[in-house]
Amino acid sequence: MSASTDSLLASTATKTVRSWATQSATSPLAPFSIRRRHPLPDDVVIDILYCGVCHSDLHQVRNEWHNTIYPVVPGHEIVGRVVKTGGNVKKFKVGDLAAVGCMVDSCRACSSCRRGLEQYCENSPTFTYNSADKHLGGPTFGGYAESIVVDEAFTLKISSAVNLAATAPLLCAGITTYSPLRHWKVGPGQKVGIVGLGGLGHMGVKLARAFGAHVVLFTTSPGKTEDALRLGAHEVVLSKSGDEMRKHASSFDFILDAVSATHDINAYISLLKLDGTLTLVGAPELPLPVSAFNLLFGRRSFAGSGIGGIAETQEMLDFCAAHDIASDVEIIAIQQINEAYDRLLKGDVKYRFVIDMASLKQ
Ligand code: NAP
Ligand code: ZN
Ligand code: ZN
């Protein structure tokens, strides 16, 4: 560690704030005190109003990606109000609404960062939680907390006209589906599949529909059919039915797979037409075997996509505000978070849990 970093750590004053954390892969979330730095010149201090509950929170709390640093304070779908700003801050003033997604920093110098693709930073982005905290040491702590301190370069603007609770999930579920749909140029004249009607999937349906595609939702849950149509799907396919799946063989331009658990990816690759692409945004714990012949015949592509860059996240928030798109949410108190995780595992959420952070003070 350099002398200047040492002195920064020593001189960084902190404030203690309330949060909920988990201490091991098998323990429940429970109240926990964390430190936030006093704002540096480029920082904004945000009092958190709402934080969405992403399946990635659950994967990481339970160490399903095998890289969790405990204690972990999850939460990367954050909206709140600015209560303090550093001396250099230009984008925000006290009283403004602000949002934070999955990243709070990156190297800002590598070729990915220079292209505005901070999520693919060659030196690894600093994720909102479960990353190394450059300022305080130890892990970064996320949004299941009273407040957060973030460099304004990684803080997003949100309109005062939007529903704040329903906007929080856009910070991960929204951008993670918006970015690949834009990258693969989904639009009118295309047949697009979305796999899994959860937090990401329901945003994928809404956004693909808004971009003008013909949208087909694949679900394992017969009870979600009506919702999927209401959310914007033109057709719904029950993926457990071989007959229903076969009707769509070799017909899709693009499929976005947002499933959180092990499933048969080949069943979807075979639905792509010539030169079609299946992009994975779901991040199950175990590898997904792919049949070579399924890719060879039809020159099909199997791809992946991770969240989105800061500029694109702002573009997505502005697009959603302009088109009146937000998440369908069930608001919970932080005290219900362990029960919410159990329900998330069963696919029993319509379609994103969002924590009302006022409950933290109860
Ligand atoms: P979620 O709300 O729990 O939704 C997942 C959906 O997958 C469920 O609602 C269910 O939909 C389907 N599903 C669950 N188990 C299944 C199984 N065994 N077989 C088939 N389908 C199943 O989760 P989420 O928050 O949307 O996150 C989805 C995944 O994306 C997670 O793995 C998460 O970590 C990952 N993620 C990735 C990124 C990224 O940057 N790429 C960002 C955020 C999240 P149906 O009931 O409709 O079948
Ligand atoms: Zn997420
Ligand atoms: Zn970088």
Side-chain angles (χ1 to χ4, degrees), residues 239-260:
S239 51
K240 287 175 180 162
S241 157
D243 282 348
E244 281 198 45
M245 293 289 277
R246 269 187 293 279
K247 280 186 209 154
H248 292 270
S250 304
S251 67
F252 282 87
D253 297 279
F254 184 74
I255 298 177
L256 191 67
D257 184 318
V259 173
S260 51

Side-chain angles (χ1 to χ4, degrees), residues 140-357:
T140 52
F141 293 124
Y144 297 6
E146 242 178 310
S147 63
I148 190 164
V149 182
V150 182
D151 190 305
E152 70 163 337
F154 282 75
T155 307
L156 290 310
K157 308 241 355 150
I158 42 177
S159 153
S160 56
V162 300
N163 176 328
L164 291 182
T167 292
L170 300 183
L171 276 300
C172 177
I175 185 59
T176 302
T177 48
Y178 183 95
S179 185
L181 292 172
R182 284 296 197 214
H183 181 77
W184 276 277
K185 299 186 171 45
V186 161
Q190 289 183 342
K191 184 173 172 184
V192 170
I194 306 288
V195 188
L197 197 65
L200 266 58
H202 93 292
M203 290 313 305
V205 167
K206 290 185 185 209
L207 290 167
R209 177 70 186 247
F211 296 165
H214 180 85
V215 182
V216 181
L217 183 272
F218 295 93
T219 182
T220 58
S221 309
K224 292 182 182 174
T225 302
E226 272 180 37
D227 280 350
L229 295 170
R230 174 180 58 79
L231 293 166
H234 295 93
E235 298 178 61
V236 179
V237 174
L238 295 177
S239 51
K240 287 175 180 162
S241 157
D243 282 348
E244 281 198 45
M245 293 289 277
R246 269 187 293 279
K247 280 186 209 154
H248 292 270
S250 304
S251 67
F252 282 87
D253 297 279
F254 184 74
I255 298 177
L256 191 67
D257 184 318
V259 173
S260 51
T262 301
H263 59 293
D264 178 15
I265 202 75
N266 295 296
Y268 297 98
I269 293 177
S270 64
L271 303 188
L272 295 171
K273 67 186 198 189
L274 178 64
D275 289 330
T277 299
L278 184 149
T279 295
L280 208 60
V281 284
E285 178 178 6
L286 299 173
L288 299 169
V290 173
S291 146
F293 288 100
N294 234 343
L295 291 175
L296 305 185
F297 293 113
R299 200 163 57 188
R300 295 159 170 150
S301 299
F302 181 37
S305 183
I307 48 175
I310 294 298
E312 194 176 38
T313 304
Q314 189 64 62
E315 175 191 306
M316 176 276 309
L317 287 167
D318 297 346
F319 177 90
C320 288
H323 293 82
D324 202 19
I325 294 173
S327 198
D328 282 34
V329 301
E330 178 177 339
I331 297 177
I332 60 166
I334 188 72
Q335 292 78 6
Q336 295 169 279
I337 189 66
N338 293 303
E339 184 195 330
Y341 278 14
D342 290 343
R343 285 182 53 195
L344 201 56
L345 266 184
K346 294 185 211 142
D348 175 24
V349 51
K350 292 185 172 172
Y351 280 91
R352 197 58 140 186
F353 291 119
V354 172
I355 308 163
D356 178 350
M357 278 304 158

Side-chain angles (χ1 to χ4, degrees), residues 66-127:
H66 312 287
N67 66 353
T68 304
I69 319 164
Y70 294 98
V72 59
V73 176
H76 56 208
E77 294 183 336
I78 299 166
V79 296
R81 201 170 288 284
V82 174
V83 290
K84 208 170 190 180
T85 59
N88 294 344
V89 170
K90 293 185 186 62
K91 264 176 20 186
F92 296 93
K93 58 182 190 323
V94 170
D96 285 353
L97 293 169
V100 179
C102 301
M103 300 177 285
V104 290
D105 209 347
S106 69
C107 86
R108 310 189 197 194
C110 73
S111 64
S112 299
C113 286
R114 286 201 309 270
R115 290 174 61 196
L117 298 169
E118 299 89 352
Q119 76 275 33
Y120 305 122
C121 174
E122 290 160 21
N123 300 301
S124 180
T126 303
F127 292 106

